[in-house]
Amino acid sequence: MVDMLKRQGYTDGQIHRFSYDTNYGSRVADVSKDFDAFLQKEVKGKKFDIVAHSLGSVISRYWMTDHAGDAANVVNWISLAGPNHGTMAAYWWGDAAGAFWKKFVWDLEPSSDALRKANNNKQYDWWGETGGGPTRYATFRSGCDEGMGGVPLDSAVMMDKEDFDSTSLGGAINYKVTDTDKDFAGHCPSHPGFPQDSEVQKKVYELLADGGEGGSDYRLKIDKVRMFDETGDGGVKGNADRFGYIRVNSAGGGSANLSNVYWRNDRGDTDDSGHEWLNVPNSGFNRGTWTDCTNGRCGIDVMVVDEDYGSVVDPDDVEVNGSIVWDVRHDGAGRHSKVVQGRYGKAEVFYTVERK
């Protein structure tokens, strides 16, 4: 990725690489202090961007919460395959790994103190875990990311019915890179393969280079979502226990760095009119019909789970987990639809974009 940036005109003096050792007792809080010392030396008082891979996403966000004044200088924060909500693999590695090898594993247990602090001091915030600062946020996850301990970061975090996947954040533009998505030319990188992936690199550069010139004079609304080609659990228990959300993110920085949740249901829920929840927007969870596409982008996140009445959400219960990004640089106003592919089903999202 450094080579790519240099080909685009960046100089060595504009690229600052922070590295750290996670093998011998490091915790997120400790590395965050080292990161602060690094930033004070390299970019103090300047505007800068953060591109973080994997654990670096948690470390850098932890630093931003701890140093709100300095964090106001972060223009773009970009997470590549970040375990931003943790992973159940951290529980499975447990104290054995923490006590004898990688102590940061404790910090990646879902709902850990470190993750709560990194995510705007909140466990989950449907409206915007990124807070109200000036930074613009983007995350990238992959359908081929094996994650940690064999637990994909693209799966539900599996703590309760309000889980996101591990990487995407409320209030961020969330990209999903899959072999079914033409936006990334069919690429589907592994966890360590993100920084080297040419299509990811292109999108990262676009985010860094745009300068916000897309403007905020567009807005987006969800019209309808439908499920099809669903197999779920093979029909053993059906889909009465389905739950999930449709979320639209503006990710613009400041007060615009928020989400609208158009659907949010628990098992067996219907909307306010008694319709099955996927067919009609539930006004009880809408913060507004339209979402402003700040900086010329809006992101749509979709997660649908069929939990089979169990107490824990397993990865193979996730029918659909995908994201759509509308970008004025590539997409026009008008009516759009896109199919979001999941392991056990598909959802087609219909949405309208208009100039304000």
Side-chain angles (χ1 to χ4, degrees), residues 50-172:
I50 293 176
V51 181
H53 178 243
S54 194
L55 182 63
S57 303
V58 180
I59 292 167
S60 54
R61 289 260 292 141
Y62 189 100
W63 172 83
M64 291 176 72
T65 302
D66 243 358
H67 300 83
D70 290 333
N73 286 325
V74 179
V75 179
N76 292 288
W77 178 87
I78 301 173
S79 170
L80 307 179
N84 298 317
H85 293 115
T87 169
M88 287 295 286
Y91 285 127
W92 301 337
W93 289 359
D95 289 342
F100 300 109
W101 188 28
K102 295 178 179 287
K103 294 186 182 298
F104 76 84
V105 167
W106 288 327
D107 293 329
L108 292 185
E109 294 180 355
S111 304
S112 72
D113 290 343
L115 288 172
R116 191 183 295 263
K117 184 171 183 176
N119 290 334
N120 198 27
N121 287 311
K122 298 175 182 177
Q123 182 175 358
Y124 296 106
D125 182 356
W126 295 99
W127 313 122
E129 294 168 297
T130 51
T135 305
R136 296 178 295 170
Y137 294 86
T139 75
F140 290 78
R141 67 192 191 280
S142 167
C144 300
D145 186 344
E146 67 279 16
M148 300 171 55
V151 180
L153 296 180
D154 187 44
S155 297
V157 181
M158 305 182 296
M159 286 298 295
D160 58 33
K161 61 179 178 254
E162 292 189 350
D163 283 332
F164 299 24
D165 61 86
S166 184
T167 300
S168 65
L169 293 169

Side-chain angles (χ1 to χ4, degrees), residues 156 227 230-244 265 267-268 277 303-310 312-320 344-345:
M227 289 288 294
E230 53 192 298
T231 57
D233 56 13
V236 176
K237 293 182 179 177
N239 299 112
D241 48 354
R242 177 188 284 156
F243 61 87
N265 87 303
R267 302 170 190 82
W277 72 278
M303 177 175 278
V304 183
V305 174
D306 180 17
E307 196 183 1
D308 298 340
Y309 294 102
V312 177
V313 180
D314 297 314
D316 59 3
D317 290 332
V318 179
E319 292 183 310
V320 176
Y344 293 109

Side-chain angles (χ1 to χ4, degrees), residues 133-344:
T135 305
R136 296 178 295 170
Y137 294 86
T139 75
F140 290 78
R141 67 192 191 280
S142 167
C144 300
D145 186 344
E146 67 279 16
M148 300 171 55
V151 180
L153 296 180
D154 187 44
S155 297
V157 181
M158 305 182 296
M159 286 298 295
D160 58 33
K161 61 179 178 254
E162 292 189 350
D163 283 332
F164 299 24
D165 61 86
S166 184
T167 300
S168 65
L169 293 169
I173 294 293
N174 299 304
Y175 293 89
K176 183 173 180 180
V177 191
T178 73
D179 50 11
T180 61
D181 192 337
K182 65 180 182 180
D183 292 340
F184 290 91
H187 286 212
C188 198
S190 66
H191 187 78
F194 261 92
Q196 292 82 27
D197 187 272
S198 60
E199 290 298 315
V200 172
Q201 289 180 357
K202 288 178 185 177
K203 197 66 72 174
V204 168
Y205 175 72
E206 183 180 82
L207 289 167
L208 295 176
D210 72 11
E213 74 271 14
S216 57
D217 50 350
Y218 290 88
R219 61 183 190 172
L220 181 150
K221 72 171 181 176
I222 300 291
D223 299 318
K224 183 174 67 173
V225 179
R226 68 185 180 104
M227 289 288 294
F228 59 95
D229 288 354
E230 53 192 298
T231 57
D233 56 13
V236 176
K237 293 182 179 177
N239 299 112
D241 48 354
R242 177 188 284 156
F243 61 87
Y245 63 81
I246 311 294
R247 177 178 64 186
V248 182
N249 296 321
S250 58
S255 59
N257 213 349
L258 297 170
S259 303
N260 281 339
V261 176
Y262 285 87
W263 284 270
R264 172 72 186 101
N265 87 303
D266 297 331
R267 302 170 190 82
D269 272 6
T270 58
D271 71 2
D272 295 338
S273 303
H275 295 91
E276 184 183 355
W277 72 278
L278 277 169
N279 295 326
V280 181
N282 185 341
S283 60
F285 290 103
N286 285 3
R287 286 197 2 197
T289 304
W290 295 90
T291 300
D292 289 343
C293 298
T294 310
N295 297 303
R297 289 184 180 88
C298 270
I300 304 169
D301 300 326
V302 184
M303 177 175 278
V304 183
V305 174
D306 180 17
E307 196 183 1
D308 298 340
Y309 294 102
S311 59
V312 177
V313 180
D314 297 314
D316 59 3
D317 290 332
V318 179
E319 292 183 310
V320 176
N321 180 13
S323 295
I324 302 165
V325 177
W326 179 87
D327 190 329
V328 70
R329 297 153 193 79
H330 313 297
D331 309 309
R335 292 186 175 181
H336 302 267
S337 71
K338 187 169 183 179
V339 174
V340 181
Q341 176 73 54
R343 182 174 180 181
Y344 293 109

